[in-house]
Amino acid sequence: FDLLVASDCIYNPTYHEALL
Amino acid sequence: HPTISSHAWTDDSGSIAVTYHLALTAPGHGDTLWNSSSCIAEHLLRPHLRDRMFGPRAKEAGGVTRWPPRRALEFGAGAALPSMILLREGAGTVVMTDRITNEETFEALEMSSEKNCRRWDISEEERERRAVVRAHTWGEDAEKLLEAGG
């Protein structure tokens, strides 16, 4: 994915790293 | 629909309208539009706000380097305003996810995708290819999301 969107408290940095 | 409400969102310039739907039975404030969702939608629409949102280091950190993105993924989409804007902006594939609570949550996402794509002259065939709705709850394997993104 080029872009991940999470509007609020759902943001999770672990996922961010895993999916990029 | 008895348990899905329909709403209109308009950007700050008043020129872009988006229809969004909410599952009235969704728990955890899933039945309301979050301010952050509206704010991100607005930021995705304007180049100078996009730059500010992604930050000066986005490029070197491996963040967004191209616009529109080839593949985008929204977590906990709810009203999915950012995903709708991404479809309008021409993102290749937009995967919308929300946690599994009830069927209406996903029906609402499909309804929004259908209505807005029709409004923006995106054919049904193209919509089926570009707008993907998937159930996803924190902690689940993300493999299916990667597959959905192509």
Side-chain angles (χ1 to χ4, degrees), chain A residues 1-12 15-16 18-20, chain B residues 34 36 64 69-76 136 138-140 145-146:
Chain A
F1 289 94
D2 308 296
L3 177 65
L4 301 178
V5 180
S7 302
D8 209 324
C9 59
I10 201 157
Y11 177 73
N12 181 325
Y15 271 48
H16 189 92
L19 286 163
L20 276 179
Chain B
W34 289 45
S36 51
V64 169
R70 198 163 26 199
R71 285 182 286 265
L73 171 61
E74 183 174 7
F75 289 111
H136 181 75
W138 287 132
E140 286 178 359
L145 302 181
L146 295 169

Side-chain angles (χ1 to χ4, degrees), chain B residues 4 18 57 60 65 70 91 110 115 125 132 150:
Chain B
I4 295 176
V18 177
R57 286 198 302 246
E60 59 191 76
T65 55
R70 198 163 26 199
E110 289 288 355
K115 269 197 191 160
E125 187 191 32
V132 183

Side-chain angles (χ1 to χ4, degrees), chain B residues 104-132:
Chain B
E104 284 84 356
T105 300
F106 305 101
E107 269 181 60
L109 289 169
E110 289 288 355
M111 283 165 75
S112 298
S113 150
E114 277 170 24
K115 269 197 191 160
N116 291 303
C117 284
R118 208 176 303 137
R119 167 183 283 152
W120 299 324
D121 290 325
I122 296 170
S123 72
E124 185 57 17
E125 187 191 32
E126 189 184 334
R127 184 185 78 85
E128 281 173 16
R129 199 176 58 243
R130 293 177 56 210
V132 183

Side-chain angles (χ1 to χ4, degrees), chain B residues 30-140:
Chain B
D31 60 340
T32 54
L33 178 70
W34 289 45
N35 287 338
S36 51
S37 174
S38 174
C39 184
I40 290 173
E42 194 69 40
H43 276 66
L44 291 172
L45 278 168
R46 323 255 168 254
H48 72 283
L49 292 178
R50 276 206 297 271
D51 288 347
R52 217 155 77 187
M53 177 165 64
F54 296 136
R57 286 198 302 246
K59 212 168 183 171
E60 59 191 76
V64 169
T65 55
R66 47 176 288 151
W67 194 262
R70 198 163 26 199
R71 285 182 286 265
L73 171 61
E74 183 174 7
F75 289 111
L81 278 185
S83 289
M84 295 304 128
I85 294 300
L86 286 164
L87 285 168
R88 190 183 181 278
E89 284 284 310
T93 308
V94 179
V95 182
M96 293 157 250
T97 77
D98 214 329
R99 65 186 177 126
I100 304 162
T101 50
N102 54 43
E103 206 43 52
E104 284 84 356
T105 300
F106 305 101
E107 269 181 60
L109 289 169
E110 289 288 355
M111 283 165 75
S112 298
S113 150
E114 277 170 24
K115 269 197 191 160
N116 291 303
C117 284
R118 208 176 303 137
R119 167 183 283 152
W120 299 324
D121 290 325
I122 296 170
S123 72
E124 185 57 17
E125 187 191 32
E126 189 184 334
R127 184 185 78 85
E128 281 173 16
R129 199 176 58 243
R130 293 177 56 210
V132 183
V133 174
R134 287 284 181 275
H136 181 75
T137 303
W138 287 132
E140 286 178 359

